[in-house]
Amino acid sequence: MAIIIDGKKTSKEIKDELKNQVEQLREKNIEVCLCVIQVGADPASTVYVNNKKKACEYIGIKSLSYELPEDTSQEQLIELINKLNNQKEVHGILVQLPLPKHIDEDRIIQTISPDKDVDGFHPQSVGRLSIGQKGFISCTPAGIVQLLKRYNIAMEGKECVIVGRSNIVGKPMAMLMLRENSTVTVCHSRTKNLSEITSRADILIVAIGKPKFITHEYVKEGAVVIDVGMHRNEDNKLCGDVDYDDVIEKVSAITPVPGGVGPMTIAMLMNNCLESARA
Ligand code: NAP
């Protein structure tokens, strides 16, 4: 029987641990503070932003929210970020992506001070991760490592195959699994014989953005499968990049969608805010 890796439960455990740590900081007169900036009113972004605010409220982190109109200029957004960069009482700055087309996302990510880059997207954070220095780590990959650790799934010496090479999931995931001493292979849309490579994986991490793409032919008997994908199917139900029902008999452990990787992302964001406040 496969172990179902419960991200909802694990994320709650982490949030409860963080709640205690926030309290301890408050006793030292430090109030942890996250600023969340949203430009425009994309409904999916609004859901993500609200979930982040709810998590802050649960843990006791102060959240300041900036809901800016769709036609906010790049200069106005940069001005706001610079103002927040200079406010000592602000520990984390998060700009919800995607941004409207007239704003250069890379430019905005680089404007956030690396000391407040709780999303871990700044080139300095990415660079630190790749050379093994301490810094903010992109929340989704960090959450996946936490899940593996808390379920006592060994990473050292294991064959880990990651499908997807995005800057926010695939690439930082590869760096983190290297840090955990896995042997790492990264696949992408130009990879030849994908199923041959994925079938070697002891740990298969999938972040491609294609509903139910990974079926049993891609999975080794007894593999651990981590599904990062998040989609709504034709019945408006959430599903992942992995065809859960098709692989469940073959895997030793798997993250469901919903309730797997998703909730961990927010827990790790909260953790980054605390680390920033401690620093
Ligand atoms: P992305 O930026 O679109 O990147 C997708 C990656 O998958 C690319 O590297 C692409 O290769 C690769 N790919 C696409 N089709 C492929 C195929 N047929 N075979 C092999 N590789 C293929 O996506 P992302 O931002 O990493 O997100 C991936 C999924 O995770 C999405 O469903 C997203 O909603 C979800 N997500 C969930 C969370 C969470 O918290 N649960 C967080 C982030 C993302 P190329 O580079 O060659 O184009």
Side-chain angles (χ1 to χ4, degrees):
M1 269 275 278
I3 294 167
I4 311 302
I5 300 176
D6 189 340
K8 207 169 163 193
K9 182 176 131 254
T10 311
S11 137
K12 165 97 170 40
E13 283 165 14
I14 294 174
K15 285 191 283 188
D16 286 337
E17 291 162 16
L18 296 175
K19 207 171 181 174
N20 283 331
Q21 295 168 25
V22 165
E23 200 50 51
Q24 286 165 16
L25 285 172
R26 189 166 292 129
E27 282 161 15
K28 293 180 187 160
N29 286 325
I30 299 168
E31 182 169 39
V32 186
C33 173
L34 169 70
C35 288
V36 181
I37 305 172
Q38 182 181 359
V39 185
D42 171 59
S45 291
T46 304
V47 171
Y48 292 134
V49 164
N50 284 338
N51 287 341
K52 287 165 191 171
K53 284 194 228 164
K54 267 191 226 154
C56 283
E57 205 176 313
Y58 181 78
I59 294 170
I61 293 178
K62 179 176 173 185
S63 72
L64 295 177
S65 111
Y66 294 84
E67 281 140 30
L68 309 180
E70 179 86 22
D71 61 357
T72 301
S73 70
Q74 179 162 302
E75 290 64 37
Q76 285 168 319
L77 183 54
I78 288 175
E79 199 180 317
L80 171 62
I81 295 170
N82 280 330
K83 193 179 95 188
L84 298 172
N85 280 341
N86 291 321
Q87 288 179 3
K88 245 183 96 188
E89 58 280 12
V90 170
H91 301 108
I93 302 171
L94 182 153
V95 178
Q96 186 63 44
L97 302 178
L99 288 167
K101 292 218 161 28
H102 65 277
I103 299 179
D104 177 350
E105 279 186 2
D106 287 341
R107 178 78 202 284
I108 297 304
I109 288 169
Q110 288 177 36
T111 303
I112 297 172
S113 160
D115 296 333
K116 301 188 180 187
D117 172 40
V118 285
D119 255 338
F121 294 165
H122 192 285
Q124 202 164 305
S125 306
V126 176
R128 282 182 182 156
L129 172 63
S130 63
I131 58 171
Q133 284 183 359
K134 200 169 158 39
F136 293 114
I137 298 171
S138 183
C139 301
T140 302
I144 291 170
V145 169
Q146 274 302 311
L147 275 181
L148 294 170
K149 285 190 172 163
R150 286 172 186 247
Y151 274 81
N152 294 318
I153 294 168
M155 291 173 265
E156 183 159 328
K158 300 291 177 186
E159 283 262 4
C160 173
V161 176
I162 298 162
V163 193
R165 57 173 167 182
S166 69
N167 289 340
I168 61 166
V169 187
K171 284 181 194 152
M173 193 72 243
M175 290 300 157
L176 277 178
M177 293 308 283
L178 274 179
R179 194 187 265 193
E180 298 298 330
N181 297 318
S182 290
T183 301
V184 180
T185 306
V186 182
C187 303
H188 45 78
S189 67
R190 318 286 168 88
T191 298
K192 302 256 187 289
N193 305 324
L194 182 64
S195 64
E196 252 173 54
I197 300 168
T198 56
S199 298
R200 292 205 307 254
D202 300 311
I203 302 173
L204 176 62
I205 302 174
V206 189
I208 55 179
K210 299 228 153 80
K212 299 191 182 184
F213 183 92
I214 297 291
T215 51
H216 70 276
E217 294 92 341
Y218 290 83
V219 178
K220 180 168 94 172
E221 192 77 44
V224 173
V225 175
I226 305 292
D227 188 355
V228 184
M230 182 75 86
H231 315 275
R232 283 210 179 268
N233 70 10
E234 46 298 342
D235 309 324
N236 206 30
K237 277 201 177 141
L238 286 172
C239 71
D241 287 345
V242 176
D243 189 338
Y244 184 93
D245 294 332
D246 193 60
V247 304
I248 188 71
E249 297 297 334
K250 216 172 170 186
V251 301
S252 63
I254 186 166
T255 57
V257 178
V261 172
M264 293 300 290
T265 301
I266 292 191
M268 298 324 285
L269 172 69
M270 299 295 112
N271 181 58
N272 281 350
C273 291
L274 248 100
E275 277 190 8
S276 176
R278 272 197 221 103

